[in-house]
């Protein structure tokens, strides 16, 4: 979809991060974001070298901004930096061209 926004996240957890609490917060955030208009999907992928990338898809920049400014998400991001993440990055990308869908028979 032209104009769709994709957020690429590569976040590394601290060695002493509480995985149970991190998982609980992640489930809560998914419950909230999945009900917001314009949220399309989130998927994580782990490479053979251990790097894990998460892709968030939103229908528009406005949908992403609604999520970015959601009060519960803002608080969880603050906690993420203070308690869970050692390092990482987010890249916000906009779809400028699309090929497909197609099928080979």
């Amino acid at each position: 979809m032209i104009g769709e926004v994709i957020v690429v996240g590569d976040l590394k957890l601290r060695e002493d991060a509480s995985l149970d609490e991190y998982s609980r917060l992640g489930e809560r955030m998914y419950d909230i974001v999945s009900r917001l208009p314009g949220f399309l999907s989130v998927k994580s992928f782990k490479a053979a070298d251990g790097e894990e990338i998460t892709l968030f898809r939103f229908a528009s920049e406005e949908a992403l901004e609604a999520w970015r400014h959601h009060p519960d998400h803002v608080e969880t991001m603050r906690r993420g930096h203070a308690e869970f993440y050692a390092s990482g990055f987010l890249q916000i990308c906009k779809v400028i061209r699309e090929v497909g869908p197609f099928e080979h028979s």
Side-chain angles (χ1 to χ4, degrees):
M1 169 192 286
I2 303 300
E4 183 177 294
V5 176
I6 299 172
V7 179
V8 180
D10 183 353
L11 302 169
K12 307 280 190 279
L13 291 176
R14 296 178 185 187
E15 288 183 21
D16 64 344
S18 168
L19 298 181
D20 288 340
E21 181 65 4
Y22 183 72
S23 178
R24 187 188 71 74
L25 284 172
E27 288 175 15
R28 183 166 178 256
M29 290 301 98
Y30 179 76
D31 185 53
I32 293 169
V33 72
S34 65
R35 290 184 274 140
L36 292 178
F39 170 77
L40 301 175
S41 68
V42 60
K43 294 180 182 174
S44 292
F45 304 91
K46 191 168 190 172
D49 66 1
E51 181 177 16
E52 188 169 344
I53 297 289
T54 302
L55 301 175
F56 298 86
R57 294 176 54 230
F58 293 88
S60 65
E61 289 182 66
E62 294 78 18
L64 171 59
E65 288 303 300
W67 172 236
R68 194 168 80 94
H69 294 291
H70 189 285
D72 291 334
H73 185 229
V74 170
E75 174 59 20
T76 299
M77 284 190 299
R78 184 197 63 74
R79 284 192 66 193
H81 290 286
E83 300 173 34
F84 301 108
Y85 300 124
S87 64
F89 66 84
L90 295 174
Q91 295 173 321
I92 290 66
C93 311
K94 193 168 198 174
V95 175
I96 60 169
R97 185 177 303 115
E98 184 175 48
V99 178
F102 55 86
E103 292 182 29
H104 297 287
S105 51

